[in-house]
Amino acid sequence: MGKRLTWFILAGLLVGGFGGWALHAHFDDGGGAGTKALADIGYWLDIPTQMFLHLIKMIIAPLVVSTLVCGIAHMGGGGAVGRVGLKAFGWFVCASLVSLTLGLVFVNLLHPGVGLNLPPPPAGESAGVEAFDAAKFFVHLVPTSAIDAMANNDIIQLVIFSLFFGGALAAVGEKGAPLVRGLESLVAVMLTVTGYVMLFAPVAVMCAVAKVLATKGIGVVGDLAFFMASFYLGLFALWAVLLLACFFVVGGRTGQLLRYLRDPILLGFSTASSEAAYPRTLDALDRFGVPPRIASFVLPLGYSFNLDGSMMYMTFASIFIAQAYNIHLDLATMIQMLLILMITSKGIAGVPRASLVVITGTLSHFNIPEAGVLLILAVDHFLDMGRTATNVIGNAVASVVVARWEGKLDAPQEAEPAVAPMPEGPADDAESFAGYAGKD
């Protein structure tokens, strides 16, 4: 079923693309009744997509908390958690610098904004996006309520809560064993629920792509085609760097990793949602051989601090806007911009249009018109698709590398069930699932 799901998602992507293009070509009349009809069609097409994303959000909090708490509890104490955490953050910092630098290199090599010659915006005009606030970010790290963090699917707050909770479970030892076993059973149940939810993915993908192309048309892509093509060329280069680094660590299994990741990559690309890809990425890493106690620890951290595609976009888009306004930035200024983005990009998790938030703050710091963000808003969805797929690869590679450094990378599982079978027999059979979060 795993391979068939991939083909179904790809078919949904193609059918939605052609269907949306055909609808736009047939109904678009430049603002008349046809355009209103397109808006109505887009309204109804958006319903299945939003339902699917709500289903994904429904499983994110219990899945993140249960897998992460079990993983920390099975690490056996703060020393192991600290060791894995330091290795993960070391990789995150290096990957962030590479991503930001590649964005800087490609935007200066290809000059996608040169020649646009945008006039300076009227005084006071802005993109309407609130700039990044470091104080708010650091205060926001700590949840006021674990229940509130779960209700809002705030991954970074869930990570903080799970670190404390998992560490406490490890500290109390045998007294916490029943709770650990209960959470292991919850992991198995949530992975089965994930399989059920993924059966709806092809329909959601088809409707999402159809809505965007029906309402915006292929023309909006053509207006900024060179900018988009330049950015995707940079993303492909980033993929190559990440996979090459993975090859140096795990060797020939890198190609196998891509095969296991095909579903989450395609799902992330077509929905432009990291949340949609998270459960499948966790499952793919487990089947690839990354111990769940490591994957469930590194992956949520990665989605908070290691969004490689998004970070590359920040330098690329910021300098593109400067080029569009004919604002010259010397090398020292661009390096300073890179270092600022290196810090502020760590606070973008869980923020809608998070990359635009950080870009806006960066533009104002360097006296570049913030209204330039409006230039890329029209195509941001199409760029977000590539960013999300790249984030999936970057965080999966990070998990694999940390597992190898820990000497815990297991042999892969060939089976690829989309939906786990329900256990038969007495309730004690549920213990067969307990190995998921506890295996080494």
Side-chain angles (χ1 to χ4, degrees):
M1 183 62 190
K3 292 182 179 179
R4 284 182 296 181
L5 182 62
T6 301
W7 286 110
F8 286 147
I9 291 174
L10 185 58
L13 184 64
L14 294 175
V15 170
F18 283 114
W21 170 77
L23 286 170
H24 186 83
H26 179 73
F27 285 100
D28 183 51
D29 57 3
T35 303
K36 184 180 183 302
L38 279 177
D40 292 337
I41 292 171
Y43 170 82
W44 290 106
L45 284 174
D46 194 44
I47 293 175
T49 303
Q50 293 304 317
M51 289 176 64
F52 174 71
L53 292 178
H54 279 218
L55 286 171
I56 290 291
K57 292 177 180 180
M58 174 184 74
I59 62 179
I60 284 292
L63 186 60
V64 169
V65 172
S66 59
T67 54
L68 185 51
V69 169
C70 286
I72 295 171
H74 283 287
M75 285 184 188
V81 173
R83 186 180 67 248
V84 173
L86 284 175
K87 290 177 180 178
F89 272 99
W91 177 268
F92 294 164
V93 170
C94 293
S96 299
L97 285 173
V98 169
S99 303
L100 292 166
T101 303
L102 275 177
L104 192 69
V105 169
F106 271 84
V107 75
N108 281 287
L109 281 178
L110 301 174
H111 297 101
V114 173
L116 293 180
N117 299 318
L118 295 181
E125 182 177 347
S126 70
V129 182
E130 185 181 353
F132 173 78
D133 188 319
K136 288 182 180 179
F137 165 65
F138 284 109
V139 171
H140 179 74
L141 284 177
V142 182
T144 56
S145 165
I147 303 301
D148 181 66
M150 293 178 189
N152 293 312
N153 278 330
D154 193 320
I155 290 184
I156 185 62
Q157 290 191 352
L158 292 177
V159 168
I160 297 297
F161 168 74
S162 299
L163 286 172
F164 279 97
F165 196 80
L169 274 182
V172 300
E174 191 60 31
K175 290 182 180 180
L179 191 52
V180 174
R181 287 195 296 270
L183 287 170
E184 288 172 348
S185 297
L186 177 60
V187 172
V189 171
M190 294 314 303
L191 289 176
T192 304
V193 173
T194 297
Y196 298 151
V197 170
M198 287 303 132
L199 297 177
F200 191 57
V203 176
V205 167
M206 179 184 69
C207 293
V209 176
K211 181 212 170 185
V212 172
L213 288 180
T215 54
K216 294 188 176 181
I218 200 69
V220 74
V221 178
D223 294 340
L224 291 171
F226 184 58
F227 167 64
M228 295 180 62
S230 301
F231 176 66
Y232 269 92
L233 184 61
L235 284 183
F236 292 143
L238 179 56
W239 282 35
V241 171
L242 290 171
L243 294 174
L244 183 62
C246 185
F247 178 81
F248 281 123
V249 177
V250 300
R253 291 185 62 180
T254 301
Q256 193 177 42
L257 175 64
L258 276 178
R259 179 166 65 86
Y260 279 79
L261 288 174
R262 63 172 183 262
D263 276 4
I265 290 174
L266 186 56
L267 193 60
F269 177 81
S270 52
T271 61
S273 169
S274 294
E275 286 182 333
Y278 177 86
R280 293 293 286 182
T281 306
L282 192 64
D283 177 61
L285 289 172
D286 175 47
R287 289 186 287 108
F288 180 73
V290 178
R293 66 187 181 87
I294 292 179
S296 60
F297 180 71
V298 176
L299 205 59
L301 287 178
Y303 274 103
S304 300
F305 299 108
N306 186 47
L307 301 177
D308 297 325
S310 299
M311 284 183 284
M312 179 179 177
Y313 181 64
M314 291 173 200
T315 48
F316 195 96
S318 298
I319 297 177
F320 164 76
I321 293 170
Q323 292 174 351
Y325 283 110
N326 294 317
I327 297 174
H328 174 72
L329 301 176
D330 57 30
L331 181 60
T333 302
M334 287 189 287
I335 292 176
Q336 182 185 359
M337 178 184 290
L338 184 150
L339 295 175
I340 290 176
L341 287 170
M342 177 69 188
I343 298 172
T344 57
S345 64
K346 302 309 176 190
I348 68 175
V351 181
R353 293 196 180 274
S355 299
L356 298 180
V357 173
V358 179
I359 290 170
T360 301
T362 303
L363 294 178
S364 62
H365 183 85
F366 291 95
N367 296 318
I368 301 171
E370 298 175 20
V373 173
L374 299 172
L375 180 65
I376 58 178
L377 270 177
V379 295
D380 186 67
H381 178 84
F382 301 100
L383 300 173
D384 198 14
M385 295 165 72
R387 298 198 302 264
T388 303
T390 306
N391 294 340
V392 171
I393 290 181
N395 287 317
V397 168
S399 300
V400 170
V401 169
V402 171
R404 171 66 81 183
W405 285 346
E406 284 287 292
K408 298 293 185 180
L409 188 61
D410 301 326
Q413 304 172 20
E414 288 302 325
E416 299 183 57
V419 180
M422 295 299 293
E424 298 179 358
D428 289 342
D429 284 359
E431 293 179 1
S432 61
F433 292 109
Y436 175 83
K439 71 178 184 181
D440 289 331

